[in-house]
Each structure stands twice: as structure tokens, then as C-alpha cells.
Amino acid sequence: MKLGILETGAPPGGLEKEFGDYSAMFARLLRDAGFEGAIDTLDVQNNAYPHAPEAYDAYLVTGSAAGVYDPEPWIAPLIGFLRAAKGRAKLVGVCFGHQVMAEAFGGKVIKSPKGWGLGLTDYAVEDVEPWMDSVSRVSLAASHQDQVVELPPGARIVAASDFTPYAALAYGDQPAISIQPHPEFEPAYATALIERRLETVLNEAQGRAAIETYARPNDNARVGGWIRRFLEG
């Protein structure tokens, strides 16, 4: 199997040097889960696309500091590629990837008036898919202001929280899944990211409270296994 990671952003400041880029985080997550296929990085911010969607068996869209509604010149081509890839390759989206897939396939994304979703967060499993194991709840790192607020046609809710009702989706009209939280974020990186954002966009109380949540166990490995089984299934 060949997986193309559609990289749409990078860790801020010096965090990339310490923790690796988002493609490296996903590669670690998937390798640790037993994925043995080839993994390539495609820098879509610089228009690095394959000649055709069939060039890879699957694509994974990473997180980004951008919003799907931003006037970035690379977002419209990404949406076009995802639409072209529908039914021709498996698709996985995480955070911004979750949002841009929803937008591409007929849903709606906004900057939520609820504010930041932050810290290790519990999500109730609403629908157990064949690539999942039977569990009622997972805990993963949240780091987002934007949210999917209207489901794309054909999508169903896999996991949800009160703060993020559309936290994970599976598509019935194509082989595609997406998730708002970050299974690729290890606690050390998630903590460092919050500390960096305390200097800019986060208030101290919310940031420190979120950091404390990372002392709890997470379900990164479990969800990494879900993604691997979806890709290989």
C-alpha cells in the first residue's frame, strides 16, 4: 500500500526541530500501529500533487493553522483534489483535514463561537465501524477553534463530545474517514504547543488547565490502529 500524506501545515517555531513535522508524527503513529506500506509526504501548500489520485492507494490530510474559509491560495486546489479523489483512493483527515474534507464534500465549517477546544478530551463512540474495536469512549488531544457544523451528505457520526458534536465521521458514499482531535500528538508535543500559544492566542488559565489533562492516559495508539485497519482493510 502507498499512502500520500497531504501536508497542510507545520508545527510553529522551533517545535518542528524538536518533535518533527506533522508527516513524521503520522508516520510514527502508523508505524507503531503496524503499518508497513510506503509513506510519502506531499507539500500541498506548494502544489505538490500526484499526476492522478490513483497514484496512491490512500491520502491523509494533516492539521494546519489555516481555516478552510481563509483566502490561502492552496486551499481551493486541495478541495478540488479531494473531490477528484472521491471513490478513487481512500481518504483520512485529521483536524484541518477533517474540516476540509467536510467542506469539500458538502458540509460546513466555521470558526466556532464556543472558542478553543483544548487539552486531552473524551469522545463518546457513537457508531462502531468495522475498522474499530468495540469501545465506548476515547481520549485524544484537542487543539482547534474551527468546527464542522453541518454534516456532508453521506457522512455519519462516529464519535462526538458535547463541545464537538461532529468529532469523527465515516462516509457511506466513499472510503473516507475523518477525525477532529489529534491521535498523532504525543503529550510532550501537545504540552509544548500550548505553552507556545500562551505567548500569542491562549489565555493563561485555559492553557494551564489543558496542560494538566495530559497527565491522564490517552488513546493515541488505539486510534492509530483504527486508521491502519481502515487503510489496509
Side-chain angles (χ1 to χ4, degrees), residues 61-211:
V61 191
T62 73
S64 176
V68 300
Y69 44 76
D70 286 337
E72 299 289 346
W74 54 270
I75 292 177
L78 174 60
I79 289 174
F81 179 79
L82 292 172
R83 288 172 177 165
K86 181 177 179 178
R88 299 163 69 183
K90 292 185 176 182
L91 299 176
V92 177
V94 175
C95 196
F96 173 84
H98 169 74
Q99 297 158 9
V100 76
M101 282 175 57
E103 193 78 15
F105 299 127
K108 184 175 177 60
V109 176
I110 64 169
K111 180 169 284 188
S112 175
K114 297 178 182 179
W116 279 93
L118 205 62
L120 192 69
T121 302
D122 294 334
Y123 299 91
V125 173
E126 302 283 327
D127 181 29
V128 178
E129 298 290 316
W131 37 269
M132 298 165 64
D133 59 328
S134 184
V135 65
S136 63
R137 187 171 298 272
V138 291
S139 298
L140 296 168
S143 183
H144 65 100
Q145 299 180 83
D146 294 353
Q147 293 211 40
V148 178
V149 293
E150 293 180 14
L151 283 181
R156 58 188 177 275
I157 301 169
V158 172
S161 70
D162 289 341
F163 187 83
T164 308
Y166 302 147
L169 304 178
Y171 288 75
D173 57 351
Q174 61 172 315
I177 62 173
S178 65
I179 186 169
Q180 178 61 61
H182 290 274
E184 80 281 14
F185 280 12
E186 292 297 332
Y189 174 73
T191 297
L193 181 62
I194 293 172
E195 289 174 340
R196 175 60 56 88
R197 286 176 171 165
L198 286 174
E199 303 168 6
T200 54
V201 296
L202 293 178
N203 71 65
E204 187 79 14
Q206 184 184 22
R208 294 299 171 195
I211 287 172

